[in-house]
């Protein structure tokens, strides 16, 4: 028998009709001589009742959790409607029940919220039956299709790039694949199709997109996976603004289609402003007003040594966060916050509780640091922060990096915990990134975005003189404090590309070895081009409000790169290694 | 300046308007003091003319092949229209020309058809500028989107499966990926997401699709790639016929959308009939009528020893192919065809030219074998084949395998060369495949489709008694002699699955080691399910009428698994091997 419809779609529209449904026994209850079955499929639950005189009563009696059955019956109104269910106004009076498959007791229960993540991942196939995972995986599928639809409608061509490709050491670590036919040689799995998509522009495809798996063999932090999915975009002949515009349209259309959410037009913030006001290049604008108040210049000559040192060291800064009078902080809370910022390297957390703004001394200002500050300093602080009675000021003063990280984290924590967030979805563009960051470990300037990012036209000369001052035509799309996409206008001129490699201290030989095929092709008529890549896993995680990226991936890996379902990776047969031309290193 | 439109879209609609275009200098001619430029972008060519008094004349004079330029000018009627171009009725009189990038002379010329494939693949980025490759890659993108659209509209969920997964030796060879974090262990790249998609059905997703890269480390024949793209489908609760029906709808809708071709409803042919009439399980029905005429039974006792032996050996057969009177074969051609079938193991190619059907002897029948055949035999042959005067009969007699392969190949060759094909697109389903094929190399029954294919309900018992007679709920979609898709109803019952593993001589331990996670989950409420996988590369190749699968892949590999653009695979640094925990084997 074909099913009439999914379980979750059998509503009043089917009243008094004969229907057939197929699904899983979610629950069975015996009540007053009747057997009630909640049958489940991907669209939801519906209640089936087997009456004692029905010929299927005995079969109904055999049914256990997660049995797969086909049930036919007649739809009637339910005496006690369940308004939480789409199907809650009706029930199906079973006439025939056919067991399509039995089920042993499952190792975890469907929809049990008290199962550890290890157990969920080990028994992932059962875990995926849960409402939560069904919702997340379906939302992700909808998201994926909505993105494809946008780019297809806008003339972008879906072009596939190789997975077995060239290793380019230097950035993140590659996963290697030994080549049996070319013994001693290796493919690498792509960290991104960056160079390929640029070359497609040189080929004249004009607009490219691909939703593609990428691979990085890095230490896995909580929200990293060794394989992740990227929405990869490249276009020719567009300016930085035009590239941002079309991709902004995408995210707005996709949020509307998938979430029925109207995103605002995206505000644009420079990297410099983002760091100045939020200490981070991906500010969470749900806390837009709860931002740093910079006091570095104002307190350069103040009497408090911690402030004074930070202001004078050159790479230091002093910032304040101002909590509104509606927020209180106990002594215990302040101690905990002090420990919190210490994790980010802060040596303390100075504060002033502004009890009475008319008394700028220890009388009106409750704080261990007031005694170190002159009346003028206190006046400056109160005026610059605009603090009123009842408000609390928290201070960070150290190297800018420490202040930004510690006070940035504190801003997010306090802001969300104390209910200062406004609005649900706050996207923005962050632009004007620096071309390079100095990597203290390597002792070199490294590209902040990647080596193919174009400098601002007026900054090309700085590449050779002061690379650290050179700004890039790079942009990130940020949503609720997550970087969801990042891109840039690329270098389309082989000479400029060579200058950038030089600024990175790559020798000509190294550059050629890694990127010779890019450099060559840039000389055969490369159009101006640029693009962006979005993290699909991240966007899905934010949309699902999921705890972890693993909750939006059907079959994710643990932080040690294992698949608990299949037990991959695993040992392989000696013959397989020999064919691949490799041997295990002795430990 | 933003471009007004693509070059290929500047038609009469823009007459007398000022336009801006951007693209590549495809050709430049100096004629009567004017400079003519054909400017190219992905949508085509448009003619630009620079007049001697224009301020951009000097720049026009500098332009070389493949320079990237931005040109503004006014559109006017062309005195000598070129009707082969969409833009052929107009030309653009240039006012300003801006060189966006210069180009060195390219190593191969765009649209040069005399470039070797090695050169095309080495300079792939330039090769991709050709009309042919632009067409193929764009058609493929359209095809991909059209397929996605169909499955999305029909409730299929796009769910991603892992690329770093478990090695399951036994079928094709896996590509291995050493795990740095789990030293001594390896991931394998998936040969297909077969088990995962079945498990998604156990999870209750009901309908799954994915367009996904798959990997097989096999010797690469001309039309194989180590990585290929599969349209992967799985559904729950549907019968074999219902699964075929929905996927048939897909191919019909996609051909309409992509090619504007109306495919017919697909005829259904059993595997047995396909082998009987065409000697192959993927018959090219453009040659539907040009089929084998089986004479095995009729010639069992004939006087010609070659025929007699073939008919009596049990695994032999005799077939004839009948060429219509419109086709002639010279002595030389017959000699060549004899050499052709010899490549497939045939020891000769018997023929009868039916010069006069009224004279069933050497007088009317021109043939070296007539003298071995009795009048009755000859009468049987002429009657069974229905041969008329002027027609030619070609015979195959040997082991069925040799006859099928040699005469099957001959049928395709002669049929297409002699113009016997009818119709352009001839799809069909081939069904009722055997469950197993005996692999003489391994000395075991191996699954003809794969180990998870369900037997026909009435053949389950045969699994343990006569597996060779057991037919499967398996089906292939065939188009013009290519298998474009293959699938089956799967085993959803752990006991039946175990029987199949037994028939394959897999021990319980081996089965558990390879597929334990499938067997386990089949016991927790697996619905009846089945699916299909289509070869996207093949469908694109057929649609493009391309010579090779490499012509529909942007960045393909050679038959030795190399990418001539990037030079992958390549040697890697010693440190990379150490980190991966492996060493090269000495040769």
């Amino acid at each position: 028998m074909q099913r009439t419809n999914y379980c979750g779609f059998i509503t009043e529209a089917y009243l008094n009709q004969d229907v057939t449904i197929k699904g899983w026994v979610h629950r069975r209850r015996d009540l007053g001589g009747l057997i009630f079955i909640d049958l489940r499929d991907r669209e939801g639950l519906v209640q089936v009742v087997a009456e004692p005189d029905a010929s299927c009563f005995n079969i109904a009696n055999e049914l256990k959790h997660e049995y797969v059955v086909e049930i036919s019956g007649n739809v009637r109104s339910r005496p006690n409607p369940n308004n939480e269910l789409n199907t809650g106004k009706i029930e199906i009076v079973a006439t025939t029940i056919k067991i399509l498959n039995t089920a042993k007791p499952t190792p975890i229960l469907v929809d049990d919220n008290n199962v550890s993540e290890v157990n969920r991942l080990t028994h992932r196939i059962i875990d995926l039956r849960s409402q939560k995972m069904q919702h997340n995986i379906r939302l992700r599928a909808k998201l994926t299709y909505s993105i494809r639809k946008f780019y297809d409608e806008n003339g972008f061509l879906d072009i596939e790039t190789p997975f077995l490709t060239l290793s380019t050491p230097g950035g993140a670590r590659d996963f290697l694949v030994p080549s049996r036919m070319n013994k001693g040689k290796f493919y690498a799995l792509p960290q991104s199709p960056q160079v390929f998509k640029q070359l497609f522009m040189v080929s004249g495809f004009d607009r490219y997109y691909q939703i593609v798996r990428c691979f990085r063999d890095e230490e896995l932090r909580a929200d990293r996976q060794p394989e992740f999915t990227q929405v990869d975009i490249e276009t020719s002949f567009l300016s930085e603004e035009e590239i941002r515009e079309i991709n902004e349209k995408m995210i707005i259309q996709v949020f509307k289609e998938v979430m029925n959410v109207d995103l605002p037009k995206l505000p644009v913030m420079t990297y410099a402003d983002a760091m100045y006001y939020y200490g981070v290049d991906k500010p969470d604008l749900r806390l837009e007003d709860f931002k740093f108040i910079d006091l570095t210049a104002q307190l350069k000559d103040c009497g408090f040594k911690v402030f004074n040192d930070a202001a004078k060291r050159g790479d230091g800064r002093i910032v304040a966060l101002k909590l509104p009078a509606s927020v209180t902080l106990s002594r215990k809370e302040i101690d905990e916050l002090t420990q919190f910022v210490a994790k980010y390297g802060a040596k303390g957390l100075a504060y002033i509780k502004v009890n009475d703004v008319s008394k700028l001394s220890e009388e009106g200002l409750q704080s261990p640091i007031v005694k170190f500050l002159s009346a003028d300093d206190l006046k400056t602080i109160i005026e610059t922060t605009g603090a009123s009675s009842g408000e609390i000021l928290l201070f960070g003063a150290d190297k800018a990096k420490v202040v930004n990280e510690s006070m940035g984290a504190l801003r997010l924590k306090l802001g969300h915990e104390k209910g200062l967030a406004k609005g649900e979805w706050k996207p923005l563009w962050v632009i004007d990134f620096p071309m390079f960051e100095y990597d203290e470990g390597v002792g070199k300037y490294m590209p902040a975005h990647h080596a193919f990012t174009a400098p601002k036209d007026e900054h090309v000369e700085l590449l050779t003189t002061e690379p650290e001052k050179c700004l890039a035509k790079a942009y990130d799309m940020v949503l609720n404090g997550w970087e969801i996409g990042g891109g840039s206008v690329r270098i389309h001129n082989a000479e400029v590309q060579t200058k950038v490699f030089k600024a990175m201290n790559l020798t000509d030989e190294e550059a050629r070895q890694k990127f010779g095929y890019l450099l060559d092709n840039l000389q055969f008529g490369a159009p101006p081009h640029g693009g962006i890549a979005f993290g699909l896993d991240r966007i899905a995680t934010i949309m699902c409000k999921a705890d972890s990226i693993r909750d939006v991936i059907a079959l994710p890996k643990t932080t040690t790169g294992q698949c608990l379902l299949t037990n991959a990776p695993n040992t392989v047969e000696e013959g397989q290694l020999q064919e691949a031309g490799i041997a295990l290193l002795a430990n």
Side-chain angles (χ1 to χ4, degrees), chain A:
Chain A
M1 289 281 286
Q2 281 198 327
R3 73 178 148 211
T4 309
N5 209 332
Y6 286 106
C7 296
F9 292 158
I10 305 291
T11 60
E12 310 89 277
Y14 290 93
L15 260 183
N16 303 319
Q17 293 179 34
D18 288 329
V19 297
T20 298
I21 52 174
K22 306 184 185 194
W24 286 259
V25 174
H26 190 67
R27 209 175 296 127
R28 203 198 77 179
R29 283 157 300 157
D30 300 13
L31 209 72
L34 302 172
I35 297 174
F36 290 91
I37 300 152
D38 285 346
L39 202 68
R40 186 192 71 232
D41 64 20
R42 79 178 205 190
E43 301 300 344
L45 296 174
V46 66
Q47 177 166 299
V48 176
V49 56
E51 300 184 322
D53 54 350
S55 62
C56 62
F57 187 82
N58 285 340
I59 299 186
N61 213 9
E62 281 176 37
L63 299 182
K64 298 200 174 72
H65 270 277
E66 301 305 316
Y67 271 37
V68 186
V69 295
E70 175 183 320
I71 298 180
S72 295
N74 194 273
V75 178
R76 74 176 176 205
S77 279
R78 205 158 141 179
N80 307 307
N82 174 346
N83 292 320
E84 287 181 12
L85 284 185
N86 195 31
T87 63
K89 292 202 174 61
I90 61 95
E91 63 188 5
I92 299 171
V93 187
T95 49
T96 61
I97 299 180
K98 190 170 159 193
I99 296 178
L100 300 175
N101 212 345
T102 58
K104 294 203 302 191
T106 53
I108 61 173
L109 293 181
V110 175
D111 286 328
D112 180 349
N113 290 322
N114 293 316
V115 181
S116 71
E117 198 184 11
V118 168
N119 267 327
R120 286 180 52 210
L121 292 178
T122 305
H123 307 292
R124 187 59 156 186
I125 301 308
I126 308 304
D127 182 51
L128 285 173
R129 288 182 182 164
S130 68
Q131 268 187 27
K132 177 173 93 171
M133 289 308 301
Q134 289 273 319
H135 169 268
N136 289 1
I137 298 300
R138 292 186 66 179
L139 183 139
R140 184 185 174 122
K142 196 171 171 188
L143 166 64
T144 303
Y145 189 73
S146 178
I147 293 172
R148 292 189 192 284
K149 181 163 153 284
F150 176 87
Y151 287 112
D152 184 79
E153 284 168 354
N154 285 279
F156 287 77
L157 303 174
D158 183 355
I159 310 180
E160 295 180 60
T161 48
F163 280 83
L164 297 171
T165 185
L166 189 68
S167 176
T168 51
R173 212 180 278 110
D174 287 320
F175 281 105
L176 298 178
V177 184
S179 167
R180 180 182 55 84
M181 282 204 271
N182 304 274
K183 285 263 159 54
K185 296 188 173 181
F186 292 79
Y187 302 102
L189 300 178
Q191 296 185 22
S192 106
Q194 180 63 34
V195 176
F196 293 133
K197 69 175 174 174
Q198 292 189 228
L199 290 176
F200 288 158
M201 296 303 103
V202 181
S203 288
F205 287 112
D206 202 75
R207 295 185 162 203
Y208 147 95
Y209 90 97
Q210 193 185 191
I211 298 188
V212 63
R213 204 71 56 83
C214 300
F215 303 84
R216 289 189 198 164
D217 186 12
E218 294 296 307
E219 307 318 313
L220 299 182
R221 285 182 266 147
D223 255 341
R224 285 275 179 89
Q225 287 278 309
E227 44 180 317
F228 57 97
T229 304
Q230 188 161 298
V231 181
D232 203 42
I233 310 293
E234 197 78 3
T235 62
S236 295
F237 299 118
L238 298 187
S239 69
E240 185 183 341
E241 291 72 21
E242 288 163 344
I243 298 172
R244 289 208 309 265
E245 190 187 344
I246 194 159
N247 290 293
E248 178 169 334
K249 272 191 195 157
M250 182 282 287
I251 202 78
I252 289 173
Q253 179 171 314
V254 163
F255 260 79
K256 186 67 187 172
E257 281 185 4
V258 178
M259 306 285 289
N260 198 26
V261 160
D262 290 296
L263 287 189
K265 190 169 159 40
L266 273 61
V268 177
M269 187 183 292
T270 64
Y271 170 85
D273 277 355
M275 298 306 289
Y276 186 79
Y277 290 115
Y278 304 102
V280 71
D281 59 0
K282 45 185 179 185
D284 183 348
L285 289 196
R286 291 174 300 180
L287 299 167
E288 185 169 8
D289 301 334
F290 186 48
K291 60 185 164 190
F292 294 173
I293 301 160
D294 195 284
L295 294 158
T296 316
Q298 288 86 338
L299 297 180
K300 196 145 61 177
D301 300 308
C302 84
F304 183 35
K305 188 168 182 305
V306 173
F307 284 7
N308 205 299
D309 285 354
K312 284 193 172 152
R313 59 179 293 157
D315 64 349
R317 73 182 296 197
I318 308 168
V319 307
L321 281 171
K322 184 174 68 171
L323 286 165
S326 58
V327 174
T328 54
L329 286 181
S330 67
R331 180 68 216 213
K332 183 158 168 273
E333 280 181 292
I334 289 180
D335 285 347
E336 282 165 4
L337 295 178
T338 307
Q339 285 171 20
F340 176 79
V341 294
K343 288 192 290 183
Y344 299 87
K347 295 180 202 79
L349 179 64
Y351 66 90
I352 298 178
K353 290 190 178 178
V354 184
N355 292 334
D356 184 347
V357 78
S358 67
K359 293 170 185 153
L360 294 187
S361 65
E362 288 189 85
E363 197 181 343
L365 303 176
Q366 180 186 340
S367 163
I369 66 165
V370 164
K371 57 176 171 274
F372 302 114
L373 293 161
S374 68
D376 274 356
D377 292 338
L378 290 170
K379 187 159 170 260
T380 299
I381 290 172
I382 296 301
E383 279 179 1
T384 311
T385 59
S388 321
S389 298
E391 296 185 329
I392 305 172
L393 297 172
L394 299 165
F395 298 89
D398 205 316
K399 282 204 286 192
K401 188 170 148 54
V402 170
V403 170
N404 288 339
E405 289 177 5
S406 59
M407 294 301 281
L410 183 67
R411 187 185 86 88
L412 290 177
K413 179 182 165 68
L414 271 180
H416 287 293
E417 287 179 1
K418 298 296 183 181
L420 305 182
K422 287 177 199 158
E424 195 173 2
W425 304 104
K426 292 285 188 162
L428 76 153
W429 288 107
V430 177
I431 65 165
D432 291 357
F433 281 82
M435 277 289 284
F436 301 98
E437 284 166 357
Y438 190 75
D439 185 322
E440 295 186 7
V442 190
K444 283 186 194 178
Y445 283 103
M446 300 294 279
H449 185 53
H450 55 53
F452 318 112
T453 298
K456 297 268 173 195
D457 295 335
E458 63 275 23
H459 289 185
V460 173
E461 290 312 312
L462 292 174
L463 283 176
T464 32
T465 55
E466 294 173 286
E468 70 280 9
K469 290 194 179 159
C470 188
L471 294 186
K473 292 180 179 173
Y475 33 82
D476 279 358
M477 192 187 283
V478 175
L479 176 60
N480 291 2
W482 295 56
E483 181 207 326
I484 59 171
S488 63
V489 172
R490 324 300 182 186
I491 298 164
H492 66 280
N493 178 302
E495 278 173 47
V496 177
Q497 186 66 70
T498 301
K499 276 186 190 170
V500 168
F501 287 148
K502 281 229 165 67
M504 290 163 58
N505 269 327
L506 272 186
T507 65
D508 282 356
E509 198 189 351
E510 284 167 335
R512 274 220 69 77
Q513 195 191 342
K514 289 185 186 187
F515 304 113
Y517 61 104
L518 173 67
L519 288 172
D520 286 344
N521 281 293
L522 283 182
Q523 298 177 48
F524 296 134
H529 62 287
I532 194 167
F534 293 94
L536 185 71
D537 306 297
R538 280 197 195 165
I539 299 177
T541 306
I542 299 175
M543 282 183 163
C544 292
K545 299 190 197 292
D547 295 329
S548 153
I549 209 167
R550 291 184 295 278
D551 280 349
V552 299
I553 298 173
L555 302 170
K557 296 194 171 56
T558 64
T559 47
T560 52
Q562 289 164 312
C563 170
L564 299 182
L565 170 68
T566 61
N567 212 17
N570 210 331
T571 52
V572 296
E573 295 170 9
E574 186 56 34
Q576 290 178 278
L577 296 182
Q578 277 175 16
E579 282 198 308
I582 57 170
L584 293 184
L585 272 187
N587 271 326

